[in-house]
Coordinates of all heavy atoms in Angstrom, one line a residue:
M544 N -16.8 16.9 -5.1 CA -16.1 16.6 -6.4 C -14.7 16.9 -6.3 O -14.3 17.9 -5.8 CB -16.9 17.4 -7.4 CG -16.2 17.2 -8.9 SD -17.0 18.3 -10.1 CE -18.5 17.4 -10.3
A545 N -13.8 16.1 -6.8 CA -12.4 16.4 -6.8 C -12.0 17.6 -7.7 O -12.6 17.7 -8.8 CB -11.6 15.2 -7.2
T546 N -11.2 18.4 -7.3 CA -10.8 19.6 -8.0 C -9.4 19.2 -8.7 O -8.7 18.3 -8.2 CB -10.6 20.8 -7.3 OG1 -9.6 20.6 -6.3 CG2 -12.0 21.2 -6.6
E547 N -9.0 20.0 -9.7 CA -7.7 19.8 -10.2 C -6.6 20.0 -9.2 O -5.6 19.2 -9.1 CB -7.5 20.8 -11.3 CG -6.2 20.6 -12.1 CD -6.0 21.5 -13.3 OE1 -7.1 21.9 -13.8 OE2 -4.9 21.9 -13.7
E548 N -6.8 20.8 -8.2 CA -5.8 21.1 -7.1 C -5.7 19.9 -6.3 O -4.6 19.5 -6.0 CB -6.3 22.3 -6.3 CG -5.3 22.7 -5.3 CD -5.7 23.9 -4.4 OE1 -6.6 24.7 -5.0 OE2 -5.2 24.1 -3.4
T549 N -6.8 19.2 -5.8 CA -6.7 18.1 -5.0 C -6.0 16.9 -5.7 O -5.3 16.0 -5.1 CB -8.1 17.6 -4.5 OG1 -8.9 17.4 -5.5 CG2 -8.7 18.7 -3.5
N550 N -6.2 16.8 -7.0 CA -5.6 15.7 -7.7 C -4.0 15.9 -7.8 O -3.4 14.9 -8.1 CB -6.1 15.7 -9.2 CG -7.5 15.1 -9.2 OD1 -7.9 14.4 -8.3 ND2 -8.3 15.5 -10.2
Q551 N -3.6 17.1 -7.5 CA -2.2 17.3 -7.6 C -1.4 17.2 -6.2 O -0.3 17.5 -6.1 CB -1.9 18.6 -8.2 CG -2.3 18.7 -9.7 CD -2.1 20.1 -10.3 OE1 -1.9 21.1 -9.5 NE2 -2.3 20.2 -11.5
L552 N -2.2 16.8 -5.2 CA -1.6 16.6 -3.9 C -0.5 15.5 -4.0 O -0.7 14.5 -4.6 CB -2.6 16.2 -2.9 CG -3.6 17.3 -2.5 CD1 -4.7 16.7 -1.6 CD2 -2.9 18.5 -1.9
S553 N 0.6 15.7 -3.2 CA 1.6 14.6 -3.1 C 1.1 13.5 -2.2 O 0.1 13.7 -1.4 CB 2.9 15.2 -2.6 OG 2.7 15.5 -1.2
L554 N 1.8 12.4 -2.2 CA 1.4 11.3 -1.3 C 1.5 11.8 0.2 O 0.6 11.5 0.9 CB 2.3 10.1 -1.5 CG 2.1 8.9 -0.7 CD1 0.6 8.4 -0.8 CD2 3.1 7.8 -1.0
D555 N 2.5 12.5 0.5 CA 2.7 13.0 1.9 C 1.5 13.9 2.3 O 1.0 13.8 3.4 CB 4.0 13.8 2.0 CG 5.2 12.9 2.1 OD1 5.0 11.7 2.4 OD2 6.3 13.3 1.9
D556 N 1.0 14.7 1.3 CA -0.1 15.6 1.6 C -1.4 14.7 1.9 O -2.1 14.9 2.9 CB -0.5 16.4 0.4 CG 0.6 17.6 0.2 OD1 1.2 17.9 1.2 OD2 0.7 18.0 -0.9
K557 N -1.5 13.7 1.1 CA -2.7 12.8 1.3 C -2.6 12.0 2.6 O -3.7 11.8 3.3 CB -2.7 11.7 0.2 CG -3.1 12.4 -1.2 CD -3.0 11.3 -2.3 CE -3.2 11.8 -3.7 NZ -2.9 10.8 -4.7
L558 N -1.4 11.8 3.0 CA -1.3 10.9 4.2 C -1.1 11.8 5.6 O -0.9 11.3 6.6 CB -0.1 10.0 4.1 CG -0.1 9.0 3.0 CD1 1.2 8.2 3.0 CD2 -1.3 8.1 3.1
F559 N -1.3 13.1 5.4 CA -1.1 14.0 6.5 C -2.1 13.8 7.6 O -1.8 14.0 8.8 CB -1.1 15.4 6.0 CG -0.9 16.5 7.1 CD1 0.3 16.7 7.7 CD2 -2.0 17.2 7.6 CE1 0.5 17.5 8.7 CE2 -1.8 18.1 8.7 CZ -0.5 18.3 9.2
T560 N -3.3 13.4 7.3 CA -4.3 13.2 8.3 C -4.2 12.0 9.2 O -5.0 11.8 10.1 CB -5.7 13.2 7.7 OG1 -5.7 12.1 6.7 CG2 -6.0 14.6 7.0
V561 N -3.2 11.1 8.9 CA -3.1 9.9 9.7 C -1.7 9.9 10.3 O -0.8 10.5 9.8 CB -3.3 8.6 8.8 CG1 -4.7 8.6 8.2 CG2 -2.3 8.5 7.7
R562 N -1.7 9.2 11.4 CA -0.3 8.9 12.0 C -0.2 7.4 12.0 O -1.2 6.6 12.1 CB -0.2 9.5 13.3 CG -1.2 9.1 14.4 CD -1.1 9.9 15.7 NE -2.2 9.8 16.5 CZ -2.6 8.7 17.3 NH1 -1.9 7.7 17.3 NH2 -3.7 8.8 17.9
R563 N 1.0 7.0 11.9 CA 1.2 5.5 11.7 C 2.3 5.1 12.7 O 3.3 5.8 13.0 CB 1.7 5.2 10.3 CG 0.6 5.2 9.3 CD 1.2 5.4 7.9 NE 1.6 6.8 7.8 CZ 2.3 7.2 6.8 NH1 2.8 6.4 5.9 NH2 2.6 8.5 6.7
K564 N 2.1 3.9 13.3 CA 3.1 3.3 14.1 C 3.3 1.9 13.5 O 2.5 1.0 13.5 CB 2.6 3.1 15.6 CG 3.6 2.6 16.5 CD 3.2 2.5 17.9 CE 4.2 1.9 18.8 NZ 3.7 1.8 20.2
T565 N 4.5 1.7 13.0 CA 4.8 0.4 12.3 C 5.9 -0.3 13.0 O 6.7 0.2 13.7 CB 5.3 0.7 10.8 OG1 6.4 1.6 10.9 CG2 4.2 1.4 10.1
L566 N 5.8 -1.7 12.8 CA 6.9 -2.5 13.2 C 7.9 -2.7 12.1 O 7.6 -2.3 11.0 CB 6.3 -3.9 13.6 CG 5.4 -3.9 14.8 CD1 4.8 -5.2 14.9 CD2 6.1 -3.5 16.1
N567 N 8.9 -3.4 12.4 CA 9.9 -3.6 11.3 C 9.5 -4.8 10.4 O 10.3 -5.1 9.5 CB 11.3 -3.8 11.9 CG 11.9 -2.6 12.5 OD1 11.5 -1.5 12.1 ND2 12.7 -2.8 13.6
Q568 N 8.4 -5.4 10.7 CA 8.0 -6.6 9.9 C 6.7 -6.2 9.2 O 5.8 -5.7 9.7 CB 7.7 -7.7 10.9 CG 7.3 -9.0 10.2 CD 7.2 -10.1 11.2 OE1 7.6 -10.0 12.3 NE2 6.6 -11.2 10.8
S569 N 6.7 -6.5 7.9 CA 5.5 -6.2 7.0 C 4.3 -7.1 7.4 O 4.4 -8.2 7.7 CB 5.9 -6.5 5.6 OG 4.8 -6.2 4.7
H570 N 3.2 -6.5 7.4 CA 1.9 -7.2 7.5 C 1.3 -7.7 6.2 O 0.3 -8.2 6.1 CB 0.9 -6.4 8.3 CG 0.4 -5.1 7.6 ND1 1.3 -4.0 7.4 CD2 -0.7 -4.8 7.0 CE1 0.7 -3.0 6.7 NE2 -0.6 -3.4 6.4
I571 N 2.1 -7.4 5.1 CA 1.7 -7.8 3.7 C 2.8 -8.6 3.2 O 4.0 -8.3 3.2 CB 1.6 -6.4 2.9 CG1 0.5 -5.5 3.5 CG2 1.2 -6.9 1.5 CD1 0.5 -4.2 2.8
T572 N 2.4 -9.8 2.6 CA 3.4 -10.6 1.8 C 2.7 -10.9 0.5 O 1.4 -10.9 0.3 CB 3.6 -11.9 2.6 OG1 2.4 -12.6 2.9 CG2 4.4 -11.6 3.9
L573 N 3.5 -11.2 -0.5 CA 3.1 -11.5 -1.8 C 3.5 -12.9 -2.2 O 4.5 -13.4 -1.8 CB 3.7 -10.5 -2.8 CG 3.4 -9.0 -2.6 CD1 4.1 -8.2 -3.7 CD2 1.9 -8.7 -2.5
D574 N 2.7 -13.5 -3.0 CA 3.1 -14.8 -3.7 C 3.8 -14.3 -5.0 O 3.2 -14.1 -6.0 CB 1.9 -15.6 -4.0 CG 2.2 -16.9 -4.6 OD1 3.4 -17.1 -5.1 OD2 1.3 -17.8 -4.6
E575 N 5.1 -14.3 -4.8 CA 5.9 -13.8 -6.0 C 5.9 -14.7 -7.2 O 6.2 -14.2 -8.2 CB 7.3 -13.5 -5.5 CG 7.3 -12.4 -4.4 CD 8.8 -11.9 -4.1 OE1 9.7 -12.5 -4.5 OE2 8.9 -10.9 -3.3
R576 N 5.5 -15.9 -7.1 CA 5.3 -16.7 -8.3 C 4.2 -16.1 -9.1 O 4.3 -16.1 -10.4 CB 4.9 -18.2 -7.9 CG 6.1 -18.9 -7.2 CD 5.6 -20.2 -6.7 NE 4.4 -20.0 -5.8 CZ 3.5 -20.9 -5.4 NH1 3.7 -22.1 -5.7 NH2 2.6 -20.6 -4.5
L577 N 3.1 -15.7 -8.5 CA 2.1 -15.0 -9.3 C 2.4 -13.7 -9.8 O 2.1 -13.3 -11.0 CB 0.8 -14.9 -8.4 CG 0.1 -16.2 -8.0 CD1 -1.1 -15.9 -7.1 CD2 -0.3 -17.1 -9.2
C578 N 3.2 -13.0 -9.0 CA 3.7 -11.7 -9.5 C 4.6 -11.7 -10.7 O 4.5 -10.9 -11.6 CB 4.5 -11.0 -8.4 SG 3.5 -10.5 -6.9
S579 N 5.3 -12.8 -10.8 CA 6.3 -12.9 -11.9 C 5.6 -13.1 -13.2 O 6.1 -12.8 -14.3 CB 7.3 -14.0 -11.7 OG 6.6 -15.3 -11.7
E580 N 4.3 -13.6 -13.1 CA 3.6 -13.9 -14.3 C 2.4 -12.8 -14.6 O 1.6 -12.9 -15.5 CB 2.9 -15.3 -14.3 CG 3.9 -16.4 -14.1 CD 3.2 -17.7 -13.8 OE1 2.1 -17.8 -13.6 OE2 4.0 -18.7 -13.7
C581 N 2.4 -11.8 -13.7 CA 1.3 -10.8 -13.7 C 1.5 -9.9 -14.9 O 2.6 -9.3 -15.0 CB 1.3 -10.1 -12.3 SG 0.0 -8.9 -12.3
L582 N 0.5 -9.6 -15.6 CA 0.5 -8.7 -16.7 C 0.0 -7.3 -16.4 O 0.5 -6.3 -17.0 CB -0.3 -9.3 -17.9 CG 0.2 -10.6 -18.5 CD1 -0.7 -11.0 -19.6 CD2 1.7 -10.5 -18.9
N583 N -1.0 -7.2 -15.5 CA -1.6 -5.8 -15.3 C -1.1 -5.1 -14.1 O -1.2 -3.9 -13.9 CB -3.1 -5.9 -15.2 CG -3.6 -6.8 -14.1 OD1 -2.9 -7.0 -13.1 ND2 -4.8 -7.3 -14.3
R584 N -0.5 -5.8 -13.1 CA 0.0 -5.2 -11.8 C -1.1 -4.2 -11.3 O -0.8 -3.1 -10.9 CB 1.3 -4.5 -12.1 CG 2.5 -5.4 -12.5 CD 3.8 -4.7 -12.7 NE 4.7 -5.5 -13.4 CZ 5.4 -5.1 -14.4 NH1 5.5 -3.9 -14.7 NH2 6.2 -5.9 -15.0
I585 N -2.2 -4.8 -11.1 CA -3.3 -3.9 -10.6 C -3.0 -3.4 -9.2 O -3.6 -2.3 -8.8 CB -4.7 -4.7 -10.7 CG1 -5.8 -3.7 -10.5 CG2 -4.7 -5.8 -9.6 CD1 -7.2 -4.3 -10.8
C586 N -2.2 -4.0 -8.5 CA -1.9 -3.6 -7.1 C -1.3 -2.2 -7.2 O -1.5 -1.4 -6.2 CB -0.9 -4.5 -6.5 SG 0.7 -4.7 -7.3
T587 N -0.6 -1.8 -8.2 CA 0.0 -0.5 -8.4 C -1.0 0.6 -8.6 O -0.7 1.8 -8.6 CB 1.1 -0.5 -9.4 OG1 0.5 -0.8 -10.7 CG2 2.2 -1.5 -9.1
Y588 N -2.3 0.2 -9.0 CA -3.3 1.2 -9.3 C -4.3 1.3 -8.2 O -4.8 2.4 -8.0 CB -4.0 0.7 -10.6 CG -3.2 0.7 -11.8 CD1 -2.7 -0.6 -12.3 CD2 -2.8 1.8 -12.5 CE1 -1.9 -0.6 -13.4 CE2 -2.0 1.8 -13.6 CZ -1.5 0.6 -14.0 OH -0.7 0.5 -15.1
V589 N -4.6 0.2 -7.5 CA -5.7 0.2 -6.5 C -5.3 0.9 -5.2 O -6.2 1.4 -4.4 CB -6.4 -1.1 -6.3 CG1 -6.9 -1.7 -7.6 CG2 -5.4 -2.1 -5.6
C590 N -4.1 0.8 -4.9 CA -3.7 1.3 -3.5 C -3.6 2.8 -3.5 O -2.8 3.4 -4.2 CB -2.3 0.7 -3.1 SG -1.8 1.3 -1.5
P591 N -4.4 3.4 -2.5 CA -4.3 4.9 -2.5 C -3.0 5.4 -1.9 O -2.7 6.6 -1.9 CB -5.5 5.2 -1.6 CG -5.7 4.0 -0.8 CD -5.3 2.8 -1.6
A592 N -2.3 4.5 -1.3 CA -1.1 5.0 -0.5 C 0.2 4.6 -1.2 O 1.3 4.7 -0.6 CB -1.1 4.4 0.9
E593 N 0.1 4.1 -2.4 CA 1.3 3.7 -3.2 C 2.2 2.8 -2.5 O 3.4 2.9 -2.5 CB 2.0 5.0 -3.6 CG 1.2 5.9 -4.5 CD 1.9 7.2 -5.0 OE1 3.2 7.3 -4.9 OE2 1.3 8.2 -5.3
V594 N 1.5 1.8 -1.9 CA 2.3 0.7 -1.2 C 3.1 -0.2 -2.1 O 4.2 -0.6 -1.8 CB 1.4 0.0 -0.2 CG1 2.1 -1.3 0.3 CG2 0.9 0.9 0.9
Y595 N 2.4 -0.5 -3.2 CA 3.0 -1.4 -4.2 C 3.7 -0.6 -5.4 O 3.0 0.1 -6.1 CB 1.9 -2.3 -4.8 CG 1.2 -3.1 -3.7 CD1 -0.1 -2.6 -3.2 CD2 1.7 -4.2 -3.1 CE1 -0.7 -3.2 -2.2 CE2 1.0 -4.9 -2.1 CZ -0.2 -4.4 -1.6 OH -0.8 -5.0 -0.6
V596 N 4.9 -0.8 -5.5 CA 5.8 -0.1 -6.5 C 6.6 -1.1 -7.3 O 7.3 -1.9 -6.6 CB 6.7 0.9 -5.9 CG1 7.5 1.6 -6.9 CG2 5.8 2.0 -5.0
W597 N 6.4 -1.1 -8.5 CA 7.3 -2.0 -9.4 C 8.7 -1.6 -9.4 O 9.0 -0.4 -9.7 CB 6.7 -2.1 -10.8 CG 7.5 -3.0 -11.7 CD1 8.2 -2.6 -12.8 CD2 7.6 -4.4 -11.7 NE1 8.8 -3.6 -13.4 CE2 8.5 -4.8 -12.7 CE3 7.1 -5.4 -10.8 CZ2 8.8 -6.1 -13.0 CZ3 7.4 -6.7 -11.1 CH2 8.2 -7.0 -12.1
D598 N 9.6 -2.5 -9.0 CA 11.0 -2.3 -9.1 C 11.5 -2.9 -10.4 O 11.7 -4.1 -10.4 CB 11.7 -2.9 -7.9 CG 13.2 -2.6 -7.7 OD1 13.8 -2.4 -8.7 OD2 13.7 -2.6 -6.6
E599 N 11.9 -2.1 -11.3 CA 12.3 -2.6 -12.6 C 13.6 -3.3 -12.5 O 13.8 -4.3 -13.2 CB 12.4 -1.5 -13.7 CG 12.8 -1.9 -15.0 CD 11.7 -2.8 -15.6 OE1 10.5 -2.6 -15.4 OE2 12.1 -3.7 -16.4
A600 N 14.5 -2.8 -11.7 CA 15.8 -3.5 -11.6 C 15.7 -4.8 -10.9 O 16.4 -5.8 -11.4 CB 16.8 -2.6 -10.8
A601 N 15.0 -4.9 -9.9 CA 14.8 -6.2 -9.2 C 13.8 -7.1 -9.9 O 13.6 -8.3 -9.5 CB 14.5 -5.9 -7.8
K602 N 12.9 -6.5 -10.8 CA 11.9 -7.3 -11.4 C 10.9 -7.9 -10.4 O 10.5 -9.0 -10.4 CB 12.4 -8.4 -12.3 CG 13.4 -8.0 -13.4 CD 12.6 -7.2 -14.5 CE 13.5 -6.8 -15.6 NZ 13.0 -5.7 -16.5
K603 N 10.6 -7.0 -9.5 CA 9.5 -7.4 -8.4 C 8.9 -6.2 -7.8 O 9.3 -5.1 -8.0 CB 10.2 -8.3 -7.3 CG 11.3 -7.5 -6.6 CD 12.0 -8.4 -5.6 CE 11.5 -8.2 -4.2 NZ 12.2 -8.9 -3.2
I604 N 7.8 -6.5 -7.1 CA 7.0 -5.4 -6.5 C 7.7 -5.1 -5.1 O 8.0 -6.0 -4.3 CB 5.6 -5.9 -6.2 CG1 4.9 -6.1 -7.5 CG2 4.9 -4.9 -5.2 CD1 4.5 -4.8 -8.2
D605 N 8.0 -3.8 -4.9 CA 8.5 -3.3 -3.7 C 7.3 -3.0 -2.8 O 6.4 -2.2 -3.2 CB 9.4 -2.1 -3.9 CG 10.0 -1.6 -2.6 OD1 10.1 -2.3 -1.6 OD2 10.4 -0.4 -2.6
V606 N 7.2 -3.6 -1.6 CA 6.0 -3.3 -0.8 C 6.4 -2.4 0.3 O 7.1 -2.8 1.3 CB 5.5 -4.7 -0.1 CG1 4.3 -4.5 0.7 CG2 5.2 -5.8 -1.2
R607 N 5.8 -1.2 0.2 CA 6.1 -0.1 1.2 C 5.0 -0.1 2.3 O 4.2 0.8 2.3 CB 6.2 1.2 0.5 CG 7.4 1.1 -0.5 CD 7.5 2.3 -1.4 NE 8.5 2.2 -2.4 CZ 8.9 3.1 -3.3 NH1 8.3 4.2 -3.3 NH2 9.9 2.8 -4.1
Y608 N 5.0 -1.2 3.0 CA 3.9 -1.5 3.9 C 3.7 -0.4 5.0 O 2.6 -0.2 5.6 CB 4.1 -2.8 4.6 CG 5.3 -2.9 5.6 CD1 5.1 -2.6 7.0 CD2 6.6 -3.0 5.1 CE1 6.1 -2.6 7.8 CE2 7.6 -3.1 6.0 CZ 7.5 -2.8 7.4 OH 8.5 -2.8 8.2
E609 N 4.8 0.4 5.3 CA 4.7 1.5 6.3 C 3.5 2.5 6.0 O 3.0 3.2 6.8 CB 6.0 2.2 6.5 CG 7.2 1.3 6.8 CD 8.0 0.8 5.6 OE1 7.3 0.8 4.4 OE2 9.1 0.4 5.7
N610 N 3.3 2.6 4.6 CA 2.3 3.6 4.2 C 0.9 3.1 4.2 O -0.1 3.8 3.9 CB 2.6 4.1 2.8 CG 3.8 5.0 2.7 OD1 4.2 5.5 3.7 ND2 4.3 5.3 1.5
C611 N 0.7 1.8 4.5 CA -0.7 1.2 4.5 C -1.7 1.9 5.2 O -1.5 2.3 6.4 CB -0.6 -0.2 4.8 SG -2.2 -1.1 4.7
L612 N -2.8 2.2 4.6 CA -4.0 2.9 5.2 C -5.1 1.9 5.7 O -6.1 2.3 6.2 CB -4.6 3.9 4.2 CG -3.7 5.1 3.9 CD1 -4.4 5.9 2.7 CD2 -3.5 6.0 5.0
E613 N -4.8 0.6 5.5 CA -5.7 -0.4 6.0 C -7.1 -0.3 5.4 O -8.1 -0.5 6.1 CB -5.8 -0.5 7.5 CG -4.4 -0.6 8.2 CD -4.4 -0.4 9.7 OE1 -5.5 -0.7 10.3 OE2 -3.3 0.0 10.2
C614 N -7.1 0.1 4.1 CA -8.4 0.2 3.4 C -9.0 -1.1 2.9 O -10.2 -1.3 2.7 CB -8.4 1.2 2.2 SG -7.4 0.6 0.8
G615 N -8.1 -2.1 2.6 CA -8.5 -3.4 2.2 C -8.7 -3.5 0.7 O -9.0 -4.7 0.2
A616 N -8.4 -2.5 -0.1 CA -8.7 -2.6 -1.6 C -7.8 -3.6 -2.2 O -8.2 -4.4 -3.1 CB -8.5 -1.2 -2.2
C617 N -6.5 -3.7 -1.8 CA -5.6 -4.7 -2.4 C -6.1 -6.1 -2.2 O -5.8 -7.0 -3.1 CB -4.2 -4.4 -2.0 SG -4.0 -4.6 -0.2
R618 N -6.6 -6.4 -1.0 CA -7.0 -7.8 -0.7 C -8.0 -8.3 -1.7 O -8.2 -9.4 -2.0 CB -7.6 -7.9 0.7 CG -6.6 -7.3 1.7 CD -7.3 -7.3 3.1 NE -7.6 -8.6 3.6 CZ -8.1 -8.8 4.8 NH1 -8.4 -7.7 5.6 NH2 -8.2 -10.0 5.3
V619 N -8.9 -7.3 -2.1 CA -10.0 -7.7 -3.0 C -9.4 -7.7 -4.5 O -9.8 -8.6 -5.2 CB -11.1 -6.6 -3.0 CG1 -12.2 -6.9 -4.0 CG2 -11.7 -6.5 -1.6
A620 N -8.5 -6.9 -4.8 CA -8.0 -6.9 -6.1 C -7.1 -8.0 -6.6 O -7.1 -8.3 -7.8 CB -7.2 -5.5 -6.3
C621 N -6.3 -8.6 -5.7 CA -5.4 -9.6 -6.1 C -5.2 -10.7 -5.1 O -5.0 -10.5 -4.0 CB -4.0 -8.9 -6.4 SG -2.8 -10.1 -6.9
E622 N -5.3 -12.0 -5.6 CA -5.1 -13.2 -4.8 C -3.7 -13.4 -4.3 O -3.5 -14.2 -3.5 CB -5.7 -14.4 -5.5 CG -4.9 -14.7 -6.7 CD -5.5 -15.9 -7.5 OE1 -6.2 -16.7 -6.8 OE2 -5.2 -16.1 -8.6
A623 N -2.8 -12.8 -4.9 CA -1.4 -12.9 -4.5 C -1.0 -12.2 -3.3 O 0.1 -12.4 -2.7 CB -0.5 -12.5 -5.7
I624 N -1.9 -11.4 -2.9 CA -1.6 -10.5 -1.7 C -2.2 -11.2 -0.4 O -3.4 -11.4 -0.3 CB -2.2 -9.1 -1.9 CG1 -1.5 -8.4 -3.1 CG2 -2.1 -8.3 -0.6 CD1 -2.2 -7.1 -3.4
E625 N -1.3 -11.5 0.5 CA -1.7 -11.9 1.8 C -1.5 -10.7 2.8 O -0.5 -10.2 3.0 CB -0.7 -13.0 2.3 CG -0.9 -14.3 1.8 CD -2.0 -15.1 2.5 OE1 -2.2 -14.9 3.7 OE2 -2.6 -16.0 1.9
W626 N -2.7 -10.3 3.3 CA -2.8 -9.1 4.2 C -3.3 -9.4 5.5 O -4.4 -10.0 5.6 CB -3.6 -8.1 3.5 CG -3.6 -6.7 4.0 CD1 -2.9 -5.7 3.4 CD2 -4.3 -6.2 5.2 NE1 -3.1 -4.5 4.2 CE2 -3.9 -4.8 5.3 CE3 -5.1 -6.8 6.1 CZ2 -4.4 -4.0 6.3 CZ3 -5.6 -5.9 7.1 CH2 -5.2 -4.6 7.2
A627 N -2.6 -9.1 6.5 CA -2.9 -9.4 7.9 C -3.1 -8.1 8.7 O -2.5 -7.2 8.3 CB -2.0 -10.3 8.6
N628 N -4.0 -8.0 9.6 CA -4.1 -6.9 10.4 C -2.7 -6.6 11.1 O -2.1 -7.5 11.6 CB -5.2 -7.0 11.5 CG -6.6 -6.9 11.0 OD1 -6.9 -6.0 10.2 ND2 -7.4 -7.8 11.3
P629 N -2.3 -5.3 11.1 CA -1.1 -5.0 11.8 C -1.2 -5.4 13.3 O -2.3 -5.4 13.8 CB -1.0 -3.5 11.7 CG -1.9 -3.1 10.5 CD -2.9 -4.1 10.5
A630 N -0.1 -5.7 13.9 CA -0.1 -6.2 15.3 C -0.7 -5.1 16.2 O -0.7 -3.9 15.8 CB 1.3 -6.4 15.7
W631 N -1.3 -5.6 17.3 CA -2.0 -4.7 18.3 C -1.1 -3.5 18.6 O 0.1 -3.7 19.0 CB -2.3 -5.5 19.5 CG -2.9 -4.7 20.5 CD1 -2.4 -4.2 21.7 CD2 -4.3 -4.2 20.5 NE1 -3.4 -3.5 22.4 CE2 -4.5 -3.4 21.7 CE3 -5.4 -4.4 19.6 CZ2 -5.8 -2.8 22.0 CZ3 -6.6 -3.7 19.9 CH2 -6.8 -3.0 21.1
G632 N -1.7 -2.3 18.6 CA -0.9 -1.1 18.9 C -0.1 -0.5 17.8 O 0.5 0.5 17.9
T633 N -0.2 -1.1 16.6 CA 0.5 -0.6 15.4 C -0.5 -0.3 14.4 O -1.7 -0.6 14.5 CB 1.6 -1.5 14.9 OG1 1.0 -2.7 14.4 CG2 2.6 -1.9 16.0
G634 N 0.0 0.3 13.2 CA -1.0 0.6 12.2 C -1.3 2.0 12.2 O -0.6 2.9 12.8
I635 N -2.4 2.5 11.7 CA -2.8 3.8 11.5 C -3.9 4.3 12.5 O -4.6 3.5 13.1 CB -3.3 4.2 10.1 CG1 -4.6 3.5 9.8 CG2 -2.2 3.9 9.1 CD1 -5.3 4.2 8.7
A636 N -3.9 5.6 12.8 CA -4.9 6.2 13.5 C -5.1 7.6 12.8 O -4.2 8.2 12.4 CB -4.6 6.4 15.0
Y637 N -6.3 8.1 12.9 CA -6.6 9.5 12.4 C -6.2 10.4 13.4 O -6.6 10.4 14.5 CB -8.1 9.6 11.9 CG -8.4 8.8 10.7 CD1 -9.0 7.6 10.8 CD2 -8.0 9.3 9.4 CE1 -9.2 6.9 9.7 CE2 -8.3 8.6 8.3 CZ -8.9 7.4 8.4 OH -9.1 6.6 7.3
K638 N -5.4 11.4 13.0 CA -4.9 12.4 13.9 C -6.0 13.2 14.6 O -5.9 13.6 15.6 CB -4.1 13.5 13.1 CG -2.7 12.9 12.8 CD -1.9 14.0 12.0 CE -0.6 13.4 11.6 NZ 0.1 14.4 10.6
N639 N -7.2 13.4 13.8 CA -8.2 14.3 14.4 C -9.4 13.5 15.0 O -10.4 14.1 15.3 CB -8.8 15.2 13.2 CG -7.7 16.1 12.7 OD1 -6.9 16.6 13.4 ND2 -7.7 16.4 11.4
S640 N -9.2 12.2 15.3 CA -10.3 11.4 15.9 C -10.0 11.2 17.3 O -8.9 11.5 17.9 CB -10.4 10.1 15.2 OG -9.2 9.4 15.4
Ligands
SF4_822 S1 0.5 -8.4 -6.2 FE1 -1.0 -9.1 -7.6 S2 -1.4 -7.4 -9.0 FE2 0.5 -7.0 -8.0 S3 2.1 -7.8 -9.3 FE3 1.6 -9.4 -7.8 S4 0.1 -10.7 -8.9 FE4 0.2 -8.7 -10.0
SF4_823 S1 -5.0 -2.1 2.5 FE1 -5.3 -0.3 1.2 S2 -3.7 1.2 1.8 FE2 -3.1 -0.8 2.6 S3 -1.8 -1.8 0.9 FE3 -3.9 -2.4 0.6 S4 -4.8 -1.0 -0.9 FE4 -2.9 -0.1 0.0

């Protein structure tokens, strides 16, 4: 059961157990036509790694793909999201595995 203490962990705390090797190219792309008409922005809720962040100034979703945990939740949640496996040798690995 989650405790109040675990709910207050920062994103960096949550991501401490994984290491990531990323390329300069995102493995996630969005159909921004759908994003511009989106009312609920569910991507900003379902992602445990806060990859999708609404940029109010730019009026678009900022995709912080470097944080992706490859859980797949966003692919199920929204059809505007094109998600491909990170290139071979990149992506996440658990530090303790
Ligand atoms: S990615 Fe999907 S949920 Fe997120 S803003 Fe775009 S259309 Fe909405
Ligand atoms: S696969 Fe999981 S961690 Fe990666 S962007 Fe989608 S919801 Fe976030």
Side-chain angles (χ1 to χ4, degrees):
M544 176 183 291
T546 64
E547 186 175 331
E548 184 177 339
T549 57
N550 287 335
Q551 293 174 352
L552 292 174
S553 70
L554 180 59
D555 283 342
D556 289 336
K557 293 176 188 173
L558 298 180
F559 179 73
T560 57
V561 298
R562 57 185 161 79
R563 285 160 283 168
K564 183 177 180 186
T565 54
L566 293 174
N567 292 329
Q568 184 176 347
S569 178
H570 62 291
I571 301 168
T572 55
L573 304 181
D574 183 339
E575 293 190 352
R576 291 170 304 166
L577 295 178
C578 295
S579 67
E580 300 169 358
C581 182
L582 298 178
N583 61 21
R584 295 180 199 139
I585 195 170
C586 58
T587 63
Y588 299 101
V589 299
C590 177
E593 300 178 18
V594 167
Y595 303 98
V596 177
W597 177 248
D598 182 336
E599 183 62 34
K602 301 289 184 199
K603 58 184 262 189
I604 295 286
D605 182 21
V606 181
R607 301 176 182 180
Y608 68 94
E609 304 92 339
N610 284 350
C611 179
L612 295 171
E613 303 172 28
C614 71
C617 59
R618 305 172 70 176
V619 177
C621 179
E622 63 181 340
I624 296 172
E625 281 276 336
W626 193 100
N628 283 312
W631 178 257
T633 66
I635 66 160
Y637 289 97
K638 287 178 180 172
N639 298 323
S640 64

